[in-house]
Structures are given as structure tokens and as C-alpha cells.
């Protein structure tokens, strides 16, 4: 594996190969890098698992006020002994010469028999070449020194003296290379920046591709002058089926196709006029005994067309451009092209001169905006529209036509009972279908798999 390293990393690795454990301060000296460069270099190497940072606490010793004085002028006892070098002296004379240090110095010197005292005078006794503590004073000097470099026994004497030694606890870091870093062979380099070097991939939070598609569709409708209408996910059968002239024995209403809310019936499904007219339309045109209890049964909406028809029945607009968008439910076997719940988009145009031609024109425009240009229309059947069409769009990747939106002009059997007098163009279909085309997926379940690899790789802009 050939890795590319930054100059800073190279210098740190090289230095650590020579001396295996170093503090950041040592590294600064050995590499000639700034503290900031060292800090960054260590972070990079840590991320790549090439460096280990061990943190530890050490005790640092430096000299206090009296310690410094002793360092500069000698220990009090040393000064006392020095004063006796040229011969014995009287106590009073020594006292005068040494001042306040005389007492402590004299005590120590007598205890250790470095001096001999008679009533007359004080003279030198047996003195070692180096007094206890002198070596430490010299070692520390004006520096700070780690406690474990110093002999504890010798230190204890100095620690007892006031203001001789100052002890401070500091946290230190020690950097070392990991095993894999030790085997790195650093190549000579020109110091140029490798703009193609691999960087760690970051995965920032992002919206789900399906959500992006929904937002895009909403945006297109709004740009085309449509406003959004919103409806409930649970609906009475009346609005999901009856108002849409779907007979009560229609196969779509069966349990195998539709989810019913268990034992829940709507008390109020519409106003008496609406119920009366809708039921009459069923009785007259489909010729069967319409049952209001069937219409009361609550369902998870099977399409968004219930939102459309309810909106039209409530507002009876002479002119309108609205759309709705949301989740619908069908009791189907889940497969690569079917889900039990999915999203639909539904559009409606009301206008006295609205025609099938307009309907197809709007489809073309919508598909163009979403990026689909190869489309055709195919006749089909819905209980509530006449004529009814289906858009087929060409899937280049699969080389075949796939059906997308259903559409048509609402039948008078639907509009009249609800007091809607102007022609209504309506269309709708699955959003997942569109998203599959957009993202080149062959299995609709992929949108709900939470497959992070795919979610991360799905293109944001197309
Ligand atoms: N509701 C139909 C479906 O779910 C689509 C459609 C909407 C058809 C409006 C005609 C009019 O497939």
C-alpha cells in the first residue's frame, strides 16, 4: 500500500523512528516544526492509526525563593563552612558575617560534625566534598526537572526546607508510533501537494431520495400554478369509493384489495343531499340496492382521488388547479413493483373549456419537467372518468414501456350528484414509480430498505 504523507507527517514519523517516545515539545525541537504543526501532524497520524498518544502526569520540580538563593550563593551550611576555610572563627564573628542563615546552618553543621565548637571558637570538622542537596540544586538550577530523575532520599532534605523546592503536577503527552507506522517507508518527495490523494469520505446528513422526488414534484405543480390540498389518510368508503361512482360490489372494494378499519364506521359521511344524490346515481346507473352502511365503513385511502372529489364537492369551483400528495394503502402482495403503502400525486383542473387535449398537454409538460420525454397515452378504464387514459413512459434502461399516471375527465355520474357543473380533468399515480425511473431502480422496495450504501450514493442532482 502506498500512502501519501504530508511533509509534517513525514518529519514526525522520521523523528519518532529515531527516538521512539517523545513529548510534543521534544518533537518541536527534533523536527523544527511549530507547536501548531506538531499538534496537527499528531492528530492526522492518530486518525490514520499511525501514532499513539499516551497521556501521563508528572511532577516537575523547580527552585523556590530560598532555593534560588542557595543555588546562587551556596547552601547556608556551605557558606558557613566556606567562612571557616581560612581558619577557626569566633561565634559572634560568624554570626555577624552570615546573618540570619547562621542559626540553621550551624545546627546542621554541628549535627553532622562538619564543625567543632569550643567555648572559644568554631573550626572545621570532617566535611564531605559534596553536601547533601548540593547536587540537586545544581541539577535543577533555573530549570524545571521531572521528579523521577532525582534521588528521593536526597530530595527529602531539601523538601523540608521552606521555599527551597516548588513542586507542580503537569500533564504530559508522549507520542509514539504504532507497529504499522514503524514499517512505513517514506519515499523522497518533491514536497508538492498531491491533489489526488485519498481523503477520508464523510457522509453528511441528507434527505431521502424519495423525499427529494416528492419535493421536486410539489415544486413543479406549484410552478405550474397549482395549489396543494390536503386530506386524511383514513376516509369513509363514501369518499374513497361511492362518491367516485365505484359500485359497492366492485372488486377494488374487497378485503383483499383494501384495508378496512376494523369495526369502525363513520357517523357522518356527507350532507344528506350528497348522500341522497350519490346513492341515486348508483341505483339508477348501476341498478343495485345501495347500502349506506357499506359507505360508512372506514378505509385507509386507496388513492388520493378521494381528496380530490371531497375538495370539489365542498367547494364546487368553476375554475381550479389543485394537487394533492401523500400516502395511500393497498392490500397487495409486496413485490419489486408493489408496496402495501406508497405515495401518490394527484392533479386536478376545473374549467368550463377544459378538454382531454389540455389534460394530455399538462401531462407532457409535467413529465418534461421531471425529465421524461418519451411518453404515450393509452386508453384504459376507471369507474369515475370517461374517457380514461393511462400514460405510458419509455424506460430506456429496461427498453420497455411502463404505465405511470391514470387520468380522465370525471363522468357526469360523479360530478352531477355533488353539484359540480364544470368539466374536471383529473390524473394521478405513484410517486415511487417516478422515483424508480429517476434513480434507475428496478425494485421499489429499495426506497424503504435503509440501504446506506445506496442512500449515500444516490445522486442529488440530475
Ligand atoms: N386514482 C387512480 C389510481 O389510483 C388515478 C386516477 C386519478 C385516475 C384521477 C383518473 C383520475 O390509479
Amino acid at each position: 500500500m502506498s500512502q501519501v504523507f504530508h511533509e509534517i507527517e513525514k518529519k514526525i514519523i522520521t523523528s519518532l523512528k529515531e527516538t521512539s517516545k517523545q513529548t510534543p515539545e521534544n518533537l518541536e525541537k527534533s523536527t523544527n516544526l511549530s507547536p501548531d504543526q506538531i499538534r496537527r501532524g499528531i492528530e492526522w497520524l492518530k486518525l490514520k492509526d499511525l501514532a499513539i498518544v499516551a497521556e501521563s502526569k508528572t511532577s516537575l520540580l523547580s527552585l523556590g525563593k530560598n532555593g534560588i538563593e542557595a543555588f546562587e550563593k551556596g547552601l547556608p551550611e556551605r557558606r558557613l563552612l566556606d567562612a571557616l576555610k581560612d581558619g577557626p572563627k569566633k561565634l559572634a564573628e560568624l554570626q555577624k558575617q552570615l546573618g540570619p542563615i547562621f542559626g540553621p546552618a550551624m545546627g546542621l553543621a554541628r549535627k553532622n560534625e562538619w564543625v567543632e565548637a569550643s567555648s572559644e571558637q568554631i573550626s572545621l570538622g570532617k566535611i564531605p566534598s559534596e553536601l547533601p542537596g548540593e547536587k540537586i540544586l545544581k541539577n535543577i538550577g533555573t530549570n524545571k526537572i521531572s521528579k523521577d530523575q532525582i534521588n528521593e532520599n536526597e530530595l527529602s532534605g531539601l523538601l523540608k526546607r521552606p521555599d527551597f523546592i516548588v513542586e507542580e503536577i503537569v500533564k504530559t503527552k508522549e507520542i509514539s508510533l504504532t507497529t504499522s507506522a514503524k514499517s512505513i517507508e517514506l519515499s523522497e518527495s518533491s514536497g508538492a501537494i498531491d491533489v489526488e490523494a485519498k481523503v477520508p469520505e464523510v457522509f453528511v446528513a441528507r434527505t431521502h431520495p424519495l423525499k427529494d422526488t416528492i419535493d421536486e414534484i410539489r415544486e413543479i405543480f406549484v410552478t405550474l400554478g397549482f395549489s396543494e390540498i390536503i386530506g386524511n389518510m383514513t376516509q369513509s368508503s363514501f369518499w374513497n369509493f361511492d362518491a367516485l361512482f365505484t359500485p359497492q360490489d366492485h372488486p377494488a372494494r374487497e378485503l383483499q384489495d383494501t384495508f378496512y378499519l376494523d369495526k369502525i364506521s363513520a357517523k357522518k359521511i356527507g350532507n344528506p343531499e350528497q348522500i341522497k344524490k350519490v346513492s341515486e346515481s348508483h341505483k339508477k346507473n348501476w341498478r343495485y340496492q345501495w347500502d349506506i352502511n357499506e359507505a360508512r365503513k372506514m378505509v385507509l385511502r386507496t388513492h388520493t382521488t378521494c381528496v380530490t372529489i371531497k375538495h370539489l364537492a365542498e367547494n364546487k369551483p368553476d375554475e381550479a388547479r389543485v394537487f394533492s400528495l401523500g400516502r395511500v394503502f393497498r392490500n397487495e402482495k409486496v413485490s419489486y413493483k408493489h408496496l402495501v403503502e406508497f405515495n401518490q400525486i394527484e392533479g386536478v383542473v376545473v374549467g368550463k373549456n377544459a378538454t382531454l387535449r389540455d389534460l394530455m398537454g399538462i401531462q407532457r409538460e409535467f413529465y418534461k419537467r421531471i425529465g421524461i420525454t418519451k411518453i404515450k397515452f393509452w386508453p384504459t378504464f376507471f369507474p369515475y372518468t370517461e374517457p380514461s387514459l393511462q400514460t405510458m413512459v419509455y424506460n430506456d434502461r429496461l427498453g420497455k414501456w411502463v404505465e405511470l399516471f391514470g387520468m380522465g375527465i370525471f363522468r357526469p355520474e360523479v360530478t352531477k350528484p355533488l353539484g359540480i357543473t364544470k368539466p374536471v380533468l383529473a390524473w394521478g399515480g405513484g410517486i415511487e414509480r417516478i422515483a424508480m425511473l429517476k434513480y434507475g431502480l428496478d425494485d421499489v422496495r429499495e426506497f424503504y430498505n435503509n440501504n446506506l450504501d445506496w442512500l449515500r450514493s444516490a445522486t442529488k442532482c440530475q
Side-chain angles (χ1 to χ4, degrees):
M1 180 187 67
S2 108
Q3 260 177 301
V4 183
F5 292 105
H6 191 277
E7 268 326 287
I8 291 177
E9 293 174 308
K10 289 186 188 173
K11 285 185 179 167
I12 295 175
I13 292 174
T14 309
S15 173
L16 286 172
K17 275 185 168 182
E18 268 165 32
T19 315
S20 64
K21 286 182 180 172
Q22 295 187 50
T23 62
E25 295 74 26
N26 287 346
L27 277 173
E28 280 166 39
K29 283 181 206 137
S30 60
T31 58
N32 246 335
L33 294 169
S34 72
D36 195 51
Q37 289 172 316
I38 293 289
R39 193 177 42 72
R40 279 188 304 166
I42 291 170
E43 279 311 309
W44 297 336
L45 292 173
K46 244 170 68 181
L47 274 177
K48 297 179 188 173
D49 271 336
L50 295 174
I52 304 165
V53 179
E55 298 199 18
S56 61
K57 283 182 188 165
T58 40
S59 186
L60 282 188
L61 302 179
S62 59
L63 297 180
K65 193 173 122 265
N66 294 337
I68 290 168
E69 193 186 322
F71 172 69
E72 285 165 354
K73 300 182 186 165
L75 283 167
E77 55 273 30
R78 170 60 72 194
R79 286 159 68 191
L80 171 74
L81 300 178
D82 281 350
L84 294 170
K85 251 191 205 155
D86 302 331
K89 281 191 176 146
K90 292 215 166 69
L91 187 136
E93 195 185 339
L94 272 177
Q95 210 164 9
K96 204 174 143 204
Q97 189 183 340
L98 296 174
I101 64 161
F102 172 76
M106 189 63 189
L108 255 174
R110 284 188 72 167
K111 192 175 128 207
N112 288 295
E113 296 176 353
W114 297 327
V115 294
E116 281 157 19
S118 68
S119 54
E120 300 287 292
Q121 55 186 14
I122 295 158
S123 56
L124 282 182
K126 259 179 42 202
I127 42 173
S129 59
E130 194 170 58
L131 301 179
E134 277 186 330
K135 197 169 154 204
I136 295 179
L137 275 186
K138 227 167 56 203
N139 272 349
I140 301 178
T142 50
N143 295 322
K144 288 186 177 179
I145 281 199
S146 162
K147 195 175 181 179
D148 35 66
Q149 290 173 14
I150 287 174
N151 181 308
E152 286 262 359
N153 266 338
E154 265 190 73
L155 182 64
S156 65
L158 284 186
L159 279 174
K160 279 184 203 139
R161 300 191 182 196
D163 250 345
F164 258 66
I165 303 284
V166 179
E167 192 173 352
E168 80 189 286
I169 310 282
V170 288
K171 285 187 189 152
T172 51
K173 285 183 183 167
E174 223 170 37
I175 325 298
S176 54
L177 294 178
T178 60
T179 329
S180 58
K182 286 177 191 152
S183 57
I184 287 171
E185 302 274 334
L186 293 173
S187 57
E188 291 302 315
S189 94
S190 58
I193 294 169
D194 179 356
V195 290
E196 285 174 22
K198 278 233 168 76
V199 294
E201 271 189 88
V202 285
F203 299 107
V204 292
R206 54 179 291 182
T207 45
H208 192 282
L210 196 58
K211 167 88 164 68
D212 291 343
T213 309
I214 290 173
D215 288 345
E216 190 184 342
I217 291 174
R218 179 179 277 125
E219 182 84 29
I220 292 175
F221 270 103
V222 171
T223 328
L224 289 174
F226 286 72
S227 15
E228 186 168 356
I229 53 175
I230 292 165
N232 293 340
M233 288 195 201
T234 57
Q235 298 275 347
S236 65
S237 293
F238 183 77
W239 291 110
N240 195 79
F241 295 122
D242 296 285
L244 287 164
F245 198 50
T246 306
Q248 294 189 329
D249 63 353
H250 192 281
R253 296 179 73 145
E254 279 170 25
L255 272 172
Q256 298 96 290
D257 288 296
T258 300
F259 291 112
Y260 284 85
L261 302 195
D262 200 13
K263 299 184 192 97
I264 299 181
S265 277
K267 283 195 190 74
K268 187 175 186 318
I269 52 180
N271 64 43
E273 168 90 353
Q274 288 168 336
I275 296 169
K276 183 167 160 275
K277 291 274 173 62
V278 167
S279 66
E280 276 170 13
S281 173
H282 277 245
K283 284 174 205 156
K284 182 169 152 237
N285 297 296
W286 292 119
R287 296 170 189 281
Y288 71 103
Q289 271 310 306
W290 188 84
D291 179 0
I292 189 163
N293 291 323
E294 204 55 45
R296 287 189 195 281
K297 287 183 180 167
M298 292 295 288
V299 300
L300 294 182
R301 67 181 181 199
T302 62
H303 53 185
T304 36
T305 316
C306 51
V307 181
T308 300
I309 194 62
K310 213 172 171 186
H311 173 82
L312 295 179
E314 275 162 17
N315 297 282
K316 302 185 184 64
D318 286 339
E319 240 176 63
R321 284 175 195 217
V322 292
F323 72 100
S324 72
L325 222 164
R327 207 167 270 230
V328 300
F329 307 83
R330 290 188 192 169
N331 196 356
E332 272 179 292
K333 201 168 148 48
V334 173
S335 74
Y336 71 96
K337 59 175 177 176
H338 291 299
L339 291 170
V340 170
E341 20 177 328
F342 59 100
N343 291 278
Q344 270 198 340
I345 170 71
E346 173 110 0
V348 190
V349 169
V350 184
K352 74 173 190 295
N353 297 319
T355 65
L356 195 68
R357 217 177 235 290
D358 299 320
L359 180 55
M360 294 194 286
I362 296 167
Q363 304 307 302
R364 239 176 236 295
E365 184 61 29
F366 173 79
Y367 287 123
K368 198 176 90 191
R369 290 185 185 225
I370 210 118
I372 300 171
T373 45
K374 202 166 172 187
I375 66 167
K376 65 182 178 183
F377 296 95
W378 207 249
T380 189
F381 173 81
F382 297 104
Y384 34 94
T385 49
E386 183 58 38
S388 303
L389 296 178
Q390 202 161 50
T391 337
M392 307 288 283
V393 308
Y394 194 71
N395 183 333
D396 282 325
R397 219 167 33 81
L398 301 179
K400 65 177 189 190
W401 292 92
V402 293
E403 45 184 81
L404 228 51
F405 286 180
M407 74 200 70
I409 301 177
F410 275 163
R411 303 173 72 113
E413 290 89 338
V414 173
T415 49
K416 263 219 191 103
L418 296 169
I420 304 158
T421 54
K422 300 290 181 301
V424 177
L425 313 178
W427 66 95
I431 291 176
E432 280 81 351
R433 284 269 168 95
I434 296 175
M436 280 168 83
L437 288 171
K438 254 174 73 112
Y439 292 99
L441 293 186
D442 298 332
D443 191 329
V444 64
R445 290 169 291 197
E446 193 69 72
F447 288 118
Y448 297 92
N449 275 348
N450 291 333
N451 174 350
L452 283 184
D453 282 342
W454 179 72
L455 289 172
R456 284 166 174 169
S457 67
T459 42
K460 263 286 172 199
C461 303
Q462 290 173 330

